[in-house]
Amino acid sequence: MGISERISGGDTGTNRKTFMGLRKETIEGVLWSIPYLAVFTVFLVWPAVKGLYMSLHTYPNKFDLTETEWVGLGNYVELFQDPVFYNAMEGTLLFVAISVPALVVLGLVMALGVNRDVTGKRTLRAIYFSPYVLTVAVVALVWGQVYSQSYGLLNYYLGFVMENPPGWLTSPDLVMASLAFMTVWWLVGFNFVIFLAARQSIPERLYEAARLDGATGWRAFKDITLPQMRNSVVFVVMVQFILQFQVFAQPYIMTQGGPSDSSDTLVYYLYRSAFSQQQFGYGAAMGYVLVAILILIAIVNFKVIGDSNA
Amino acid sequence: MVPKASGSETRRTFIKSLGVAGTVALAGCGGNSGDGGDGGDGGDGGSDGGSTGDGGSESYEITFWELFSGGEGPIMESIVNKFNEEQPLDTSAEVTINRQRTPWNEYYNKLFTALSGGQAPDMAVMHAAYLRAWAGGIDPIGQYADTGSIQSDYTESHWDLVTVDGTVNALPMDMHPIGVYYNKDLFEQAGLDPESPPTNWSEFEAAGNAVAQNTDAAAFTQSPYNDGFGSFRTWSSWVKQQGGSLYDDEWNPTFDSEAGMNIAQLFSDMTGDMGWAPATSEDTWGNNAFQNGSCAMAMNGTWYVAALSGVEDLNWGFFEPTVGPNKQQDKVWADGHSLVLPKKDGRSDAKSEIAAQVAHWMTTQNPSWGAEAGHLPAANSIYESDAFQNSPYYDKTLNKYVEMAEDGDYFYHPKVPNGDPNAQNWYTWLVDIWAHNAEPQAGVQSGIETVSNGISE
Amino acid sequence: MPESTQSRSLGAYLTEDAVRSALLHVALYGFAFLMAVPYLYTISRSFQPNRLLRDPRPYWIPPLVGEPITFEHYRYLLDNTLVVQWTINTFIIAGGATILIVAIDSMIAFSLTRLDWPGQGVVMGIILASFMVPYYMNIVPLYQIVSDLGLINSYWGVIMPAAASPLGVFLLYQFFRDIPVEYEEAARLDGFSTFQVYTRIILPLAKPILSALALFMFVYNWNAFLWPLLVLSNETAYTLPIGLVNLYQGNIDTPGLHMAVAILGSLPLFVIYLIFQGQIVRAVQMQGATG
């Protein structure tokens, strides 16, 4: 929602609702959407719909997936009585609660910091984004060496100031936080880039105008920066919620859900059921429960942070 | 505002790159230019639409999937290359093996997905433990090979390994049981005789206590990777030695039998009262400790030899793991690799027979697999071969593994009817017990639940 | 930086600002250093012999304490001639996917934000909802579809499912919405067709976010592991991440090799990022100046 529209006070948009115009625009609109929608439908929607179908069946013969047994909501009922599911949910929520706020706030702070009058922006940008180019297996390797209890970097130095440095990945109380911290390090670059792009799209004249009014520093931030970046904040929060809720690779590679299942997550459990043990119906049910949860979060997100086009 | 790249320019570059990508994709799936690689004349696209091998051109390309890495990788590669060069089969057709390696962790996922999409390879490696669960996805080897006549090529225990409910599902390639590797220098330091390692529980207990008391080192690690599966190998061996069982007739786990609980308690005590090792779930703790000399004994499989020989200053030995407490019988965990023919529509009978012959050759004509990788080969001829007898590991480990085979000590990793028997998360409860993150009782119960769920539909 | 309107001596003003600036630099660079430490450590370790790697004590620069460094891990990897092939494959896949994604995502985002047609909201809603579908649930059905289309073991089998990702659409949607309509109105008055609005107005204005999207998608597709692994069944067709893992995987007894695999696998992407980064900087500067 550009500031121009706010200034001019209303919808100056493409309001060519002549009979011919609307038809033409509709055709155009659809045409421009077709390439993406074609790929999307074949490679995403269709498997997902098939997944929904699978969640209502069980597959007694994993080598012949045409052999199905209808169970209706049976898989879902079983899921809601499954203690492993609840444990995985707990782990996921904990992970999200730690990682998402950190990712958003840190990304914002970094972007605003780099935007200021500093030398060597390019270097800073490169370093801040660099962990993002690593694949998760490499991140796990790198941090495995940091977190290892007896052989790790962190505990070697902590050992100089404390008796028994903690087991970052081996203590059920710390493991999720450790994984979350590592994930923030890894992924904050994404938010950083988005926020930086958003910040730098804000026309300078707004700040000039504000300066003339004597509004600087914190006030400028509150009244100009934050509102102008609202869409990007909504976007980032939503995306991070959705992505981190689906955390899987970090516990899979580093801790296998341990110690004693304290780092188990929803998608990891889904992977085990649907993929590793080929319990497709059950895994699919889990997938759809996850979708429902995420849709709920998305709705809440929109209501709370708001959508400036509304 | 002059745009740098107009839309039509973007389009053009896009179409051009489409063309490039397209041609590359069409030209044999990105890859025949690898001269350093193997698998010769690729371009088959992994699918077998009945084009090759139907008698017309008399040449067969056998796609072969395997999961070997580390030291075993190059050995398998050289075996395949040898076959492709020598063309040892008794047929006029030209047979080439197209070998594909998949990382161990994802191997069965990939195999299953391919099976479900009709894209399975002609031949694949499979752990014997999977032969019952995957019976629905493979063609029993007896369908294409005369099992009656080739049975004598293999040792009895290997033949048993690949027989499921009377059907021979695969051809055995090797067995990789476990044993105890120990540090001779640490033994000496602890006041033990480095040349006479423990042969029973009381000697084992004494050795461990000696190391714990007289040195700074840890005494024992149940699995150098500190992983669930490795811990299971150790735990199950000692449970069986005490006469316990792992599953009942209906495949319900019986981990909480008396023997099962005893050994679970032993694990907890080893890192507790006995002080044999720190109670940690740290990844690969044992491996680091054993290799840098701060752990005296490590229970691991045949494959450890290759790793240990690469460590300088490590003076190591090996003894049989029949040292469990209250032992009633000698039982040692073993599993093995076998070669299977996955079900594949469109693979002609002729080709399947050829594939079976290839499998037969690969499992019987390769002493290097045992000699260099340290596994127990399946074929009788290999045992007598010079290469095997002269293997650098023969005196250290292989002869003892052979002895255990001859004594019939091995029991096989249970061939569960469903699920993933090598899955780490089936056994992480043992690591929880070892690391004191769970009481033995609770840990065992959790294990029973996880495995039961895994086995169920 | 806001100019102070309070009366201060020039010296005091400069000092306060200078101090603030210094603190800012220290904070930003200090933080950057901390961020880089973990992988700098890994890079250092990739040049250390296995013996040092098993030591609980960390070594940063071995020669400083009289220990050797070694190139043996890298040599082992680079001796395998397929590494170059894998890098090329990955480049093609990641590049192809990125170009396709930027093109089709920008097209639909344009359609959803600048054009008006019935059902827009529904389409956007479905795309958004699909973003929440966990990837692993889809794999088996997706594989069957790809197989039915005959795309197994082809780069298209890897690229097409990647191009279905809703993230790009979502991202561009948010940003395209912010482009002021005035530009478009003016263009329309000048007689621009829809296509021209797309290419001459929207695309240039959206350069920063398009570059960002391209960057994210390239990184994602370069690093993609599981799906390419399932689809590609020819060692020479493998991508770099897969090929390298195959060389090393599971062999914890050569930690040095593991380090080298990690660094070597990441290096091409990092270099490409550095090059790309220049583009983003220029695009953003242009944008900011004219905004």
Side-chain angles (χ1 to χ4, degrees):
Chain A
M1 169 77 160
I3 207 157
S4 56
E5 265 167 319
R6 293 235 290 266
I7 291 174
S8 53
D11 182 23
T12 59
T14 51
N15 207 342
R16 306 192 292 284
K17 281 201 195 322
T18 68
F19 174 68
M20 283 306 294
L22 188 56
R23 282 246 312 265
K24 176 170 181 247
E25 208 170 327
T26 307
I27 297 176
E28 278 185 331
V30 170
L31 276 181
W32 281 84
S33 310
I34 283 185
Y36 176 76
L37 287 181
V39 175
F40 174 68
T41 311
V42 172
F43 294 102
L44 214 162
V45 174
W46 174 234
V49 167
K50 205 142 183 227
L52 188 59
Y53 173 85
M54 282 174 133
S55 75
L56 302 172
H57 293 75
T58 59
Y59 293 81
N61 181 359
K62 72 184 185 189
F63 291 107
D64 186 359
L65 294 181
T66 54
E67 252 181 66
T68 66
E69 259 174 46
W70 167 264
V71 290
L73 293 178
N75 284 327
Y76 292 93
V77 169
E78 200 184 321
L79 190 62
F80 286 121
Q81 293 170 340
D82 184 352
V84 180
F85 173 68
Y86 287 109
N87 180 56
M89 173 84 82
E90 225 180 276
T92 309
L93 286 174
L94 179 59
F95 182 83
V96 168
I98 301 177
S99 62
V100 173
L103 278 168
V104 176
V105 171
L106 195 57
L108 188 58
V109 167
M110 284 159 74
L112 295 179
V114 164
N115 186 56
R116 298 191 46 169
D117 197 10
V118 278
T119 51
K121 284 194 204 213
R122 220 183 264 206
T123 315
L124 278 180
R125 248 192 298 257
I127 299 180
Y128 286 168
F129 189 74
S130 54
Y132 193 78
V133 310
L134 302 175
T135 180
V136 66
V138 173
V139 175
L141 173 69
V142 168
W143 281 84
Q145 295 169 95
V146 173
Y147 279 147
S148 167
Q149 190 173 19
S150 349
Y151 294 89
L153 199 59
L154 197 53
N155 281 2
Y156 180 75
Y157 292 110
L158 282 180
F160 290 128
V161 299
M162 61 166 77
E163 261 293 308
N164 270 329
W168 301 101
L169 296 174
T170 53
S171 154
D173 298 322
L174 291 178
V175 63
M176 233 7 165
S178 307
L179 290 179
F181 186 75
M182 170 184 94
T183 306
V184 172
W185 174 88
W186 175 38
L187 298 178
V188 73
F190 179 86
N191 298 351
F192 165 69
V193 167
I194 304 248
F195 283 144
L196 192 58
R199 173 63 184 82
Q200 292 183 325
S201 309
I202 303 178
E204 195 49 35
R205 54 186 163 85
L206 292 178
Y207 289 100
E208 282 162 18
R211 223 172 293 153
L212 293 176
D213 283 348
T216 62
W218 174 252
R219 275 203 58 204
F221 175 72
K222 200 165 58 95
D223 294 337
I224 301 179
T225 312
L226 227 37
Q228 286 291 307
M229 292 185 66
R230 199 185 200 170
N231 276 351
S232 59
V233 173
V234 167
F235 172 77
V236 165
V237 171
M238 269 271 284
V239 167
Q240 290 306 334
F241 246 110
I242 294 173
L243 289 180
Q244 302 320 321
F245 228 91
Q246 299 185 42
V247 61
F248 156 70
Q250 294 92 304
Y252 172 59
I253 298 178
M254 292 191 94
T255 60
Q256 290 89 53
S260 48
D261 301 321
S262 53
S263 62
D264 198 5
T265 65
L266 286 172
V267 176
Y268 186 19
Y269 188 28
L270 191 159
Y271 174 86
R272 298 201 298 272
S273 304
F275 206 41
S276 174
Q277 276 163 187
Q278 291 104 26
Q279 290 160 338
F280 294 112
Y282 198 63
M286 220 182 296
Y288 273 94
V289 169
L290 188 56
V291 172
I293 295 176
L294 289 177
I295 290 184
L296 210 66
I297 291 181
I299 295 178
V300 168
N301 191 28
F302 270 124
K303 294 274 189 247
V304 170
I305 303 190
D307 183 12
S308 60
N309 268 17
Chain B
M1 267 188 308
V2 179
K4 285 291 165 189
S6 71
S8 51
E9 244 173 65
T10 325
R11 284 264 177 74
R12 255 180 268 136
T13 348
F14 171 56
I15 292 175
K16 227 195 306 181
S17 60
L18 262 189
V20 169
T23 2
V24 174
L26 288 173
C29 326
N32 305 334
S33 47
D35 29 55
D38 43 68
D41 52 28
D44 192 49
S47 78
D48 190 45
S51 50
T52 55
D54 264 344
S57 54
E58 279 292 78
S59 87
Y60 297 94
E61 188 199 60
I62 306 288
T63 46
F64 169 51
W65 285 11
E66 48 100 341
L67 40 55
F68 299 112
S69 64
E72 298 161 318
I75 302 177
M76 176 51 72
E77 197 178 326
S78 70
I79 292 175
V80 169
N81 288 343
K82 182 170 154 204
F83 179 92
N84 288 337
E85 271 168 40
E86 288 179 13
Q87 291 294 312
L89 292 190
D90 186 17
T91 167
S92 56
E94 188 191 331
V95 182
T96 333
I97 303 178
N98 180 349
R99 181 191 64 88
Q100 292 303 318
R101 175 171 304 155
T102 304
W104 195 92
N105 268 345
E106 306 301 332
Y107 181 74
Y108 288 102
N109 291 339
K110 179 164 179 175
L111 189 57
F112 180 80
T113 315
L115 266 170
S116 71
Q119 301 279 353
D122 297 314
M123 194 170 77
V125 169
M126 187 172 288
H127 289 95
Y130 287 76
L131 289 177
R132 177 176 279 124
W134 283 59
I138 60 182
D139 289 327
I141 206 95
Q143 225 177 306
Y144 299 109
D146 184 6
T147 47
S149 65
I150 57 179
Q151 179 171 355
S152 52
D153 290 338
Y154 303 97
T155 74
E156 206 180 308
S157 39
H158 279 95
W159 196 252
D160 274 340
L161 181 66
V162 296
T163 309
V164 178
D165 302 328
T167 323
V168 179
N169 277 346
L171 286 184
M173 194 156 76
D174 66 58
M175 259 207 288
H176 41 262
I178 58 172
V180 186
Y181 298 79
Y182 72 100
N183 184 327
K184 292 189 177 177
D185 293 332
L186 276 177
F187 260 40
E188 211 171 320
Q189 218 182 70
L192 304 159
D193 180 2
E195 299 307 323
S196 35
T199 56
N200 57 40
W201 168 250
S202 60
E203 286 173 23
F204 181 57
E205 195 184 7
N209 287 338
V211 170
Q213 281 153 22
N214 303 339
T215 71
D216 288 332
F220 178 72
T221 168
Q222 89 292 15
S223 168
Y225 320 107
N226 218 0
D227 62 332
F229 188 25
S231 309
F232 182 77
R233 297 192 282 260
T234 305
W235 176 86
S236 64
S237 299
W238 288 344
V239 168
K240 283 284 219 175
Q241 285 175 19
Q242 254 193 30
S245 66
L246 301 172
Y247 295 91
D248 66 17
D249 289 331
E250 321 257 290
W251 289 101
N252 296 315
T254 53
F255 303 157
D256 53 354
S257 65
E258 197 185 322
M261 289 309 305
N262 285 344
I263 306 299
Q265 186 63 51
L266 178 62
F267 267 33
S268 185
D269 291 338
M270 275 184 175
T271 52
D273 291 338
M274 288 163 72
W276 278 23
T280 176
S281 62
E282 188 180 324
D283 208 38
T284 69
W285 172 83
N287 190 53
N288 283 330
F290 187 73
Q291 289 188 6
N292 69 16
S294 46
C295 177
M297 300 183 277
M299 180 87 90
N300 205 2
T302 53
W303 57 84
Y304 211 25
V305 290
L308 293 183
S309 53
V311 181
E312 314 133 13
D313 319 320
L314 187 64
N315 187 7
W316 61 274
F318 175 87
F319 62 90
E320 297 175 16
T322 49
V323 293
N326 298 327
K327 190 176 71 177
Q328 294 175 13
Q329 52 183 349
D330 281 339
K331 280 287 167 206
V332 177
W333 180 97
D335 194 10
H337 298 110
S338 68
L339 294 181
V340 298
L341 303 182
K343 276 194 173 20
K344 193 164 178 179
D345 284 336
R347 184 178 64 215
S348 66
D349 281 349
K351 189 167 188 183
S352 302
E353 277 167 27
I354 296 275
Q357 286 179 45
V358 173
H360 184 233
W361 181 89
M362 285 188 66
T363 50
T364 52
Q365 301 299 324
N366 293 289
S368 55
W369 189 247
E372 290 171 46
H375 298 314
L376 270 187
N380 285 321
S381 54
I382 299 184
Y383 283 96
E384 282 116 47
S385 74
D386 284 335
F388 187 67
Q389 303 273 334
N390 294 334
S391 153
Y393 309 122
Y394 193 77
D395 292 326
K396 281 197 127 162
T397 62
L398 286 175
N399 61 352
K400 300 189 182 69
Y401 281 121
V402 171
E403 202 181 300
M404 286 195 279
E406 284 165 358
D407 292 342
D409 289 349
Y410 296 130
F411 74 93
Y412 309 126
H413 192 39
K415 296 182 178 55
V416 293
N418 194 28
D420 187 2
N422 286 1
Q424 286 292 356
N425 76 288
W426 273 25
Y427 312 109
T428 44
W429 53 278
L430 279 166
V431 183
D432 288 335
I433 294 177
W434 177 269
H436 292 187
N437 281 324
E439 292 292 311
Q441 185 77 16
V444 169
Q445 285 309 316
S446 153
I448 292 179
E449 264 169 53
T450 310
V451 174
S452 310
N453 278 337
I455 291 183
S456 69
E457 296 292 314
Chain C
M1 301 304 274
E3 286 168 34
S4 174
T5 52
Q6 297 170 330
S7 51
R8 284 172 178 263
S9 72
L10 198 61
Y13 169 70
L14 278 176
T15 310
E16 184 187 310
D17 247 21
V19 166
R20 222 189 273 164
S21 177
L23 282 178
L24 183 67
H25 280 80
V26 164
L28 291 179
Y29 278 96
F31 185 68
F33 175 71
L34 284 179
M35 272 192 96
V37 158
Y39 58 73
L40 288 179
Y41 184 51
T42 306
I43 293 175
S44 165
R45 278 166 76 91
S46 70
F47 291 104
Q48 296 176 19
N50 286 328
R51 177 176 55 84
L52 292 182
L53 296 173
R54 270 179 230 118
D55 198 330
R57 180 196 147 173
Y59 293 87
W60 289 93
I61 306 179
L64 288 184
V65 290
E67 297 283 4
I69 64 169
T70 172
F71 292 95
E72 64 184 350
H73 309 304
Y74 287 100
R75 220 177 292 138
Y76 177 83
L77 289 180
L78 294 171
D79 271 349
N80 190 311
T81 55
L82 285 181
V83 170
V84 173
Q85 178 72 43
W86 292 330
T87 309
I88 296 176
N89 297 342
T90 320
F91 208 106
I92 294 176
I93 289 180
T98 302
I99 293 173
L100 182 63
I101 290 174
V102 170
I104 65 178
D105 285 4
S106 64
M107 283 166 68
I108 191 173
F110 172 69
S111 166
L112 289 171
T113 55
R114 314 319 297 192
L115 301 176
D116 188 39
W117 45 281
Q120 272 179 313
V122 173
V123 169
M124 190 56 203
I126 295 180
I127 294 178
L128 203 52
S130 76
F131 191 39
M132 308 180 197
V133 172
Y135 170 66
Y136 293 97
M137 191 182 77
N138 281 349
I139 289 191
V140 172
L142 180 60
Y143 187 89
Q144 290 175 333
I145 290 172
V146 172
S147 169
D148 289 340
L149 290 173
L151 297 179
I152 293 297
N153 207 28
S154 124
Y155 289 161
W156 287 116
V158 179
I159 291 178
M160 296 302 267
S165 163
L167 176 65
V169 177
F170 189 27
L171 177 63
L172 295 185
Y173 177 80
Q174 292 285 94
F175 274 74
F176 279 17
R177 280 204 308 189
D178 283 348
I179 297 176
V181 274
E182 313 164 319
Y183 297 128
E184 223 177 308
E185 285 293 283
R188 293 279 184 184
L189 288 175
D190 279 351
F192 275 25
S193 71
T194 305
F195 181 69
Q196 285 168 318
V197 172
Y198 170 73
T199 56
R200 303 255 193 103
I201 310 291
I202 302 298
L203 282 189
L205 281 177
K207 252 213 177 123
I209 201 62
L210 288 175
S211 307
L213 176 63
L215 180 61
F216 295 146
M217 285 299 145
F218 192 83
V219 168
Y220 176 78
N221 282 289
W222 183 282
N223 285 331
F225 185 78
L226 185 61
W227 183 250
L229 176 67
L230 294 178
V231 171
L232 301 172
S233 52
N234 194 323
E235 279 213 352
T236 45
Y238 276 164
T239 60
L240 189 62
I242 299 174
L244 287 179
V245 168
N246 252 344
L247 279 183
Y248 143 80
Q249 209 263 356
N251 196 357
I252 57 159
D253 305 299
T254 51
L257 192 60
H258 198 177
M259 311 287 158
V261 163
I263 300 299
L264 203 61
S266 314
L267 197 59
L269 194 53
F270 191 59
V271 166
I272 290 167
Y273 160 67
L274 287 179
I275 299 172
F276 221 118
Q277 209 221 174
Q279 295 277 32
I280 301 185
V281 170
R282 246 172 283 135
V284 167
Q285 281 173 344
M286 243 174 51
Q287 153 68 29
T290 54

